[in-house]
Structure formats: C-alpha cells, structure tokens
C-alpha cells in the first residue's frame, strides 16, 4: 500500500516507541531531532538503533524512518552513525538548503552502509523543504532528481521562526500568502523530481474535524500523504488519502475507455477526456494499491 500517514515518535520515549507499532500508521518516524533535547541525544540514538535492530526489514509491518538532525548540524553524522546499522527504510532530513545537502548525506550514508554490510543505496532520503529560507531559492536544484530521494515534505513552523514572523496563518486559518507559496513550491518540486509530496503536520491533534478538512485540501492540492504527531490522527489521514470506491470505479472506467477506444481523446459519459485524465486515473489506481 502506498504511504499515506507518517507518525512521529520521539526517539527518547521508550514507552511511546513500544506502543508505536500497534498503530495503523504506514510509516513511523523515529525522531532524533526536534522532539529530543540535546541532553537526551545519546539515549535516543541507542533506543532508536535497538528498535530498528529488533525489527529487521523483512519482518516489518510498517516502514521505519528516522528523522536525523540537519546536515549542517554537528550531531548529524553522529545520528547516522548510530542507526544506519539498523537499516531504516529512509531518513527524514530536516532543514535542507539545496540538493547539495542531500549529496553530502548520500556520501555519509553510503560509507556507513558499506561499513554495516548493507547494499549501498538501500536507505532512502526524504528532505523537508522550506524550513530554511534558502531552500525556497534553491528548490530547483532538486528537480533533476537527487540520490536516494523518495519524497519531500515542508515545514511552515520552522520557516516562520527563520523569518522572524509571529504567525503563518491568516485570520480565517488559511496559510498566509508566503507560506501558501512555500507549500506550492514543495508540491511542484516533489512532482518535478518524481517523488511523493508529503504535507506537514496539523498541530491541533485534538481537533480531528479540522484535520480532516486539512487533509481534503492537501489531497486536492496534490499532496499524497500527511505527517502526524499523535496516533489519533492516523485513521483520519489514512481514510482521507485513500481513494474512495467511487473514485476507483471512475478511474477504472477511464482507463478502460482509453484501452478500448485506442485513441488520445475518448468519450465517456458525455465528456471528452484526453491524456491528462488518463494519467490522473492511473494515479488514483496506484494510490489505491491497484495496477489497473
């Protein structure tokens, strides 16, 4: 099943780690960055490493990612060195500034994979765009594809702090124009690079109706998944980002129409459809875990 929900789990919280794999999240993000204080970094690295080693890739029910510290942080390499042996499925790399950061990350991880006896290139990378203002100016550097990159998310809260702003929302709750632009840049950049665009968190984890509304807007804008900070958010995210039975049925009819009529433009239920409609239908089926 394609990734829909990604749940953060603090790397230094043993109790939360032990309960995390009972959730329905498609991905658990074992966090070594923002949710872990500097004094707990060593403890978190050990707990995350053990968590990964106790769950070999072949036996994992969920994908296990690790959010490391930024490449420019002195703790970045220590995070990688501590957990690569456990073969996480990916690293969520925060505060990227340009594709050069992922290239440096790739060199570090390749050396550590070799040291650990893992195939080079096994572990993927998912950068978080927009947390550093420079990344908005350098987003084009990701478009041609970057080693290991499998997705891309964005961070309006860190961007707000970096810009010295006091809010990133309008009075009606929508993103202020600068942040709406950053959100759009993330979708465009991810799609240009051929990777999955992943929406940011909904901070008010108690308000599930608000979360559902955000998910609907995210999905219609082009995001295919969303980050979660609480287990209660996972079910809503999974439901919203899974194509409905009606969507799947329509997508199948579109694909079938193109197959039968064998043309670049086809008619279906009184509407003329062309190749963008076929691409959209195929994506719906892929998101539903179907090939046709």
């Amino acid at each position: 099943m394609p990734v829909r929900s990604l749940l953060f789990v603090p790397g230094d919280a043993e109790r939360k780690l032990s309960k995390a794999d009972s959730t329905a999240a498609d991905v658990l993000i074992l966090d070594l960055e923002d949710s872990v204080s500097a004094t707990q970094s060593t403890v978190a690295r050990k707990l995350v490493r053990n968590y990964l080693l106790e769950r070999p890739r072949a036996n994992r029910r969920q994908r296990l990612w690790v959010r490391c510290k930024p490449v420019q942080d002195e703790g970045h390499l220590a995070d990688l060195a501590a957990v690569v042996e456990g073969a996480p499925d990916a690293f969520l790399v925060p505060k990227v500034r340009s594709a050069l950061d992922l290239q440096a990350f790739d060199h570090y991880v390749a050396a550590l994979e070799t040291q650990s006896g893992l195939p080079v290139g096994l572990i993927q990378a998912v950068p978080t765009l927009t947390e550093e203002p420079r990344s908005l100016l350098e987003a084009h550097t990701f478009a041609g594809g970057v080693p290991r990159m499998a997705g891309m998310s964005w961070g309006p809260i860190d961007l707000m702090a970096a810009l010295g702003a006091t809010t990133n929302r309008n009075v009606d709750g929508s993103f202020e124009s600068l942040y709406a632009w950053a959100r759009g840049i993330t979708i465009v950049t991810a799609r240009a690079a051929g990777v999955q665009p992943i929406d940011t968190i909904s901070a008010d984890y108690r308000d599930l109706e608000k979360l559902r509304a955000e998910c609907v807007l995210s999905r219609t804008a082009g995001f295919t998944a969303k980050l979660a900070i609480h287990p209660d958010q996972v079910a809503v995210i999974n439901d919203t980002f899974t194509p409905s039975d009606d969507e799947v049925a329509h997508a199948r009819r579109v694909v079938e129409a193109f197959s039968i009529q064998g043309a670049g433009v086809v008619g279906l239920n009184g509407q003329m459809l062309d190749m963008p409609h076929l691409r959209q239908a195929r994506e719906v089926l892929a998101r539903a875990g179907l090939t046709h």
Side-chain angles (χ1 to χ4, degrees):
M1 177 64 72
V3 168
R4 302 159 298 174
S5 56
L6 307 94
L7 176 64
F8 281 108
V9 186
D12 62 342
E14 194 165 5
R15 181 180 62 84
K16 291 181 179 180
L17 284 168
S18 66
K19 294 173 64 176
D21 54 8
S22 64
T23 73
D26 296 324
V27 175
L28 299 180
I29 303 175
L30 314 178
D31 194 14
L32 296 177
E33 197 215 8
D34 281 348
S35 68
V36 177
S37 68
T39 58
Q40 286 292 99
S41 287
T42 300
V43 170
R45 288 171 186 142
K46 181 178 180 181
L47 288 173
V48 169
R49 177 181 180 277
N50 291 341
Y51 190 93
L52 291 165
L53 290 173
E54 290 166 3
R55 293 161 179 80
R57 276 193 172 219
N59 301 330
R60 288 176 187 168
R61 185 179 66 83
Q62 297 155 303
R63 293 172 219 189
L64 301 180
W65 295 9
V66 174
R67 180 165 68 170
C68 56
K69 294 179 183 62
V71 172
Q72 60 270 32
D73 190 290
E74 62 182 13
H76 174 75
L77 189 51
D79 285 349
L80 302 185
V83 303
V84 161
E85 185 182 1
D89 296 280
F91 279 98
L92 185 64
V93 187
K95 299 180 178 63
V96 294
R97 298 161 296 187
S98 72
L100 289 176
D101 282 342
L102 280 198
Q103 291 170 13
F105 167 88
D106 173 57
H107 293 321
Y108 295 150
V109 176
L112 292 166
E113 284 170 333
T114 300
Q115 184 182 58
S116 300
L118 300 172
V120 173
L122 177 71
I123 300 170
Q124 296 180 314
V126 178
T128 305
L129 201 67
T130 80
E131 291 181 318
E132 290 284 343
R134 178 180 156 190
S135 69
L136 290 169
L137 305 177
E138 300 282 353
H140 67 279
T141 62
F142 294 94
V146 181
R148 301 180 186 269
M149 193 164 74
M152 178 175 287
S153 189
W154 74 297
I157 298 174
D158 284 274
L159 179 59
M160 179 181 70
L163 295 177
T166 57
T167 184
N168 53 33
R169 301 275 183 169
N170 294 314
V171 175
D172 64 0
S174 63
F175 279 113
E176 192 273 332
S177 59
L178 175 63
Y179 302 89
W181 173 68
R183 177 176 180 264
I185 287 290
T186 303
I187 298 173
V188 170
T189 304
R191 292 292 185 174
V195 300
Q196 182 173 10
I198 301 166
D199 198 12
T200 191
I201 66 164
S202 180
D204 190 354
Y205 63 86
R206 294 185 182 88
D207 192 340
L208 297 183
E209 287 308 308
K210 178 181 177 181
L211 171 65
R212 185 174 294 276
E214 285 191 10
C215 288
V216 170
L217 289 173
S218 296
R219 187 177 169 204
T220 55
F223 286 108
T224 57
K226 190 171 178 64
L227 300 170
I229 57 171
H230 193 281
D232 289 349
Q233 296 180 313
V234 169
V236 172
I237 294 172
N238 284 346
D239 180 58
T240 311
F241 282 95
T242 301
S244 67
D245 291 343
D246 287 345
E247 288 176 300
V248 170
H250 177 71
R252 280 179 162 155
R253 287 194 294 270
V254 171
V255 172
E256 183 179 6
F258 276 94
S259 176
I260 293 173
Q261 298 180 41
V265 178
V266 303
L268 179 66
N269 299 331
Q271 290 187 317
M272 296 303 295
L273 307 178
D274 54 13
M275 297 311 291
H277 294 97
L278 178 59
R279 289 197 297 271
Q280 186 178 46
R282 285 173 172 164
E283 176 155 347
V284 168
L285 295 178
R287 295 300 305 162
L290 304 169
T291 55
H292 55 77

